[in-house]
Amino acid sequence: AIQLNLDGWLAQTKQGMDMDFRLNTNEVGFKELLSLIPAIYAKDFQDLKTDGKVTLNAFARGSMEGNTKVPQFEVNLDVKDAMFRYPSLPAGVEKINISALVRNAGGPLDATEISVAPFDFVLAGNPFSLNATVKTPVSDPDFHLTARGKLDLGKVKEVYPLDDMQLNGLVQADLELGGRLSMVEKEQFEQMQAKGSLRLNQMKLVLKDMPPVDIQQSVFTFSPRYLQLSETTVNIGKNDLTLDSRFENYLGYALKGSTLKGTLNVSSNHLNLNDFMSADTTAAVAEVPADTAAMGVIRVPENIDFQMQAAFRELLFDKMTLTDGKGTLLVRNGTVDMRNLSFNTMGGSVTMNGAYAAPQKKQPELNAAFDMRNISFAQAYQDLGLVQQLAPIFAGLKGNFSGNLQIDTPLDATMSPVMSAVQGKGALSTKDLSLSGVKFIDQVADIVKKPSLKEITVKDLNIDFEIKDGRVTTKPFDLKLGDYNMNLSGSTGLNQTIDYTGKITMPADGIASKLGTVDMTIGGTFTSPKVGIDMASLARNAAEQALKGLGEKLGNDSKGSEKKKSVINKALDLFKRKK
């Protein structure tokens, strides 16, 4: 709403541009000045009542030559004893005094000086004062800042229409910061000015369609070397975080974006990470279904260097529930290094060591080792997409397993492994596995005509495996089904295909004991497997065992014919050659 009058001239030169112009605002009022604040200009601006004296003037005179030289310029704003108030609300903001100056005598941009001294106001009876100056902003920011006063956030609704927002809490500031950025970089902290505190009490923010944020108490304490955040509990909806931290180089981080260093103790009784996930378009390197892409990626800033001690009672992530977790997290260069991160989940316990890397504009990656104890087969299938795609057989298994897994994989936009690129290896063992409804086992039971094998308990199963190019390859392992023993090896794939070969050994007693060990294959898919047992080999074994028995009988019979024994021996030789 400000009307500006511009008077002067501009002329292009070989080096850049010469100028001499002045900005005049003889009729500007405080209400017009407030129109520069979008939140005020957009909310019942026409009804706003204001008072106070305002002057705004600016000029630029001299030459501009690229980024090396600017003309002499000055922008000066002066507000004296101003106020504003919405007629529909009970209170206003009063005693507003502002003196702001930006100037350069002409020359390098680094010679610019910025001053805001003072910026004072009284909000619903609470006074607040801010003063700030900045010199040499390009080469080595020389700054000084003071902030003193009290803000009752619960009073904001009395001076500004908040509509669907609820805001409460008390902010008390009494701090002073001053020095040069180079002092921070050279650790010349004794030459810095940094003291005071910023306190938050009973702060609560409620926005439409967002979980409420509640901070009972928090204190930031400033010194030249560090910023201390005392033990602070933040409640966001049903989630809670308790923080106790100390940050070094906070001034360099704020002024120049250099690395913020710190130590943090973080704890939580309940934390649902799914509540904080949002879509991240830069993370969608791999294609994912549209209905799952909303989870988003947890990014790790590259300019923080934290050592964190974490402890949580309950943490939810995707479908997983983790309890009684603790461990050390080292955060630096866009990577979270997890050391001895232990937790209970899926009916058992897991200890994790590894790294999660998610710098900006790069596909996140996970490289980690897991030591697992007494994990439920069924729960692992239910909670882990990796298991659902690479080991769907877990859905039909009852019991627990222990083992280890080393995995290296990129992650997609839903924080899930890119299955075709997963690389890993591991081992698992179980002592109480119950098989029921496993289709390829059912087929084996039908072939050997042993229905009882369809529901059976397996003891002492040990499997070593490797994950590569979308397939899980297992080394030879024994699967004992009652009196039958299968020795299997092969692979399963993302497309649910099975490619296993092995041998099945018949029981040691009974009629089947005469059949020995025969070859078998398992192909097809998990939903439609195809089990093949070498029936010709089975028949040859049976005939061979029968002939051997007949030969032994004839040998013991004094009346046995040498000619008959010769025929039997020739038949045995024939079976051996065909095998």
Side-chain angles (χ1 to χ4, degrees):
I2 297 177
Q3 296 183 4
L4 302 177
N5 297 317
L6 189 64
D7 185 25
W9 56 267
L10 300 171
Q12 189 171 355
T13 66
K14 291 182 179 181
Q15 290 77 25
M17 187 172 291
D18 289 345
M19 64 192 71
D20 186 357
F21 66 84
R22 179 174 294 275
L23 194 67
N24 299 308
T25 58
N26 297 330
E27 298 181 1
V28 68
F30 188 59
K31 183 173 183 177
E32 287 74 23
L33 181 66
L34 290 176
S35 72
L36 297 177
I37 303 174
I40 293 180
Y41 190 61
K43 184 74 69 174
D44 301 329
F45 181 74
Q46 67 280 1
D47 299 329
L48 195 64
K49 304 300 182 183
T50 65
D51 195 8
K53 297 180 180 179
V54 178
T55 59
L56 173 64
N57 54 68
F59 74 87
R61 185 183 304 116
S63 299
M64 176 179 288
E65 299 177 3
N67 296 324
T68 61
K69 182 180 180 182
V70 297
Q72 179 186 7
F73 69 85
E74 184 175 297
V75 180
N76 195 348
L77 170 66
D78 192 61
V79 178
K80 293 187 180 298
D81 201 23
M83 60 80 63
F84 75 87
R85 180 175 178 177
Y86 290 89
S88 60
L89 298 177
V93 180
E94 303 172 326
K95 298 181 181 180
I96 303 172
N97 292 280
I98 305 172
S99 179
L101 176 66
V102 182
R103 66 183 178 183
N104 190 306
L109 186 62
D110 197 39
T112 303
E113 298 180 2
I114 304 168
S115 172
V116 180
F119 178 11
D120 298 339
F121 61 88
V122 177
L123 189 154
N126 294 314
F128 198 89
S129 178
L130 177 71
N131 292 270
T133 61
V134 179
K135 298 179 181 179
T136 58
V138 178
S139 63
D140 186 13
D142 183 355
F143 61 94
H144 190 270
L145 168 71
T146 61
R148 291 184 174 87
K150 178 174 68 173
L151 291 177
D152 186 345
L153 300 180
K155 298 285 188 180
V156 172
K157 63 179 180 294
E158 298 182 8
V159 302
Y160 182 79
L162 295 178
D163 295 335
D164 296 327
M165 179 190 297
Q166 297 180 37
L167 185 63
N168 289 287
L170 189 64
V171 179
Q172 294 175 289
D174 184 7
L175 62 92
E176 181 176 359
L177 302 174
R180 290 180 174 271
L181 179 60
S182 59
M183 297 176 184
V184 178
E185 295 173 337
K186 296 176 182 178
E187 299 186 356
Q188 297 172 337
F189 299 112
E190 69 281 355
Q191 300 181 36
M192 299 283 298
Q193 287 182 310
K195 60 182 180 180
S197 63
L198 180 66
R199 296 175 178 269
L200 307 177
N201 288 285
Q202 297 181 344
M203 183 174 178
K204 189 169 186 177
L205 172 64
V206 179
L207 296 174
K208 185 179 180 180
D209 300 326
M210 295 289 289
V213 178
D214 191 350
I215 303 175
Q216 287 298 313
Q217 179 176 322
S218 181
V219 180
F220 294 85
T221 304
F222 296 83
S223 75
R225 287 182 175 271
Y226 61 85
L227 168 62
Q228 181 80 38
L229 174 62
S230 63
E231 186 169 306
T232 300
T233 298
V234 181
N235 293 288
I236 305 175
K238 296 180 180 180
N239 302 287
D240 67 90
L241 275 176
T242 298
L243 308 171
D244 185 6
S245 56
R246 174 170 170 156
F247 302 104
E248 299 178 4
N249 192 42
Y250 68 96
L251 292 173
Y253 176 80
L255 296 174
K256 206 171 182 179
S258 55
T259 299
L260 178 65
K261 299 181 179 180
T263 56
L264 291 85
N265 295 316
V266 182
S267 62
S268 174
N269 291 312
H270 174 84
L271 182 61
N272 188 347
L273 292 180
N274 300 317
D275 293 343
F276 304 96
M277 300 261 186
S278 61
D280 185 341
T281 55
T282 64
V285 179
E287 293 184 4
V288 295
D291 60 344
T292 62
M295 272 192 65
V297 164
I298 300 176
R299 288 294 180 187
V300 182
E302 297 177 60
N303 59 342
I304 63 174
D305 185 348
F306 291 166
Q307 178 170 325
M308 303 171 58
Q309 296 295 327
F312 55 85
R313 290 188 178 180
E314 182 181 58
L315 185 145
L316 307 180
F317 175 66
D318 198 10
K319 299 178 182 179
M320 297 183 65
T321 299
L322 315 180
T323 60
D324 297 328
K326 61 181 179 180
T328 301
L329 305 177
L330 302 179
V331 185
R332 60 171 61 96
N333 299 325
T335 298
V336 180
D337 186 7
M338 295 161 280
R339 299 185 179 180
N340 294 322
L341 183 61
S342 62
F343 47 86
N344 297 326
T345 186
M346 297 178 288
S349 63
V350 176
T351 300
M352 178 181 179
N353 285 276
Y356 166 73
Q360 294 294 327
K361 298 183 180 180
K362 290 186 179 180
Q363 188 170 14
E365 295 181 353
L366 176 66
N367 187 321
F370 302 86
D371 183 65
M372 302 166 285
R373 292 289 176 265
N374 299 315
I375 302 297
S376 164
F377 281 104
Q379 190 106 27
Y381 177 82
Q382 178 181 328
D383 293 352
L384 298 175
L386 179 69
V387 172
Q388 292 173 13
Q389 296 190 58
L390 286 178
I393 191 175
F394 275 40
L397 306 183
K398 297 177 182 178
N400 300 325
F401 69 91
S402 298
N404 60 80
L405 171 64
Q406 173 74 45
I407 189 171
D408 186 359
T409 178
L411 304 177
D412 62 24
T414 69
M415 296 283 288
S416 299
V418 180
M419 300 303 300
S420 60
V422 173
Q423 308 291 322
K425 61 181 179 179
L428 65 85
S429 62
T430 179
K431 296 182 180 297
D432 61 349
L433 173 62
S434 295
L435 298 174
S436 177
V438 180
K439 292 187 176 182
F440 78 84
I441 298 295
D442 291 349
Q443 289 191 20
V444 172
D446 290 337
I447 291 173
V448 299
K449 301 186 184 305
K450 191 77 171 177
S452 60
L453 297 182
K454 295 182 179 182
E455 292 192 23
I456 199 165
T457 299
V458 177
K459 298 292 185 180
D460 299 325
L461 175 64
N462 298 281
I463 300 177
D464 293 325
F465 61 88
E466 181 180 10
I467 306 173
K468 186 177 181 181
D469 301 328
R471 296 195 71 84
V472 178
T473 302
T474 59
K475 296 179 180 180
F477 65 94
D478 290 323
L479 179 61
K480 189 171 179 59
L481 304 175
D483 295 332
Y484 293 77
N485 186 77
M486 289 193 296
N487 182 269
L488 298 173
S489 64
S491 68
T492 59
L494 281 173
N495 55 2
Q496 308 293 292
T497 58
I498 309 173
D499 183 12
Y500 268 85
T501 61
K503 296 181 182 295
I504 182 168
T505 302
M506 302 304 170
D509 55 358
I511 190 169
S513 64
K514 305 297 185 180
L515 304 183
T517 300
V518 295
D519 297 331
M520 70 178 298
T521 60
I522 305 174
T525 65
F526 282 99
T527 56
S528 182
K530 296 179 181 179
V531 175
I533 294 181
D534 190 347
M535 300 306 294
S537 175
L538 194 64
R540 285 196 299 270
N541 283 355
E544 180 180 344
Q545 294 301 323
L547 287 170
K548 281 184 177 179
L550 182 57
E552 291 172 359
K553 183 177 180 181
L554 289 173
N556 295 328
D557 187 353
S558 59
K559 298 180 181 179
S561 168
E562 291 296 328
K563 184 177 181 180
K564 289 181 180 180
K565 289 196 290 183
S566 176
V567 171
I568 292 172
N569 289 332
K570 288 181 180 179
L572 286 171
D573 289 340
L574 178 62
F575 276 117
K576 291 178 180 178
R577 287 197 298 270
K578 287 190 175 183
K579 289 170 67 177

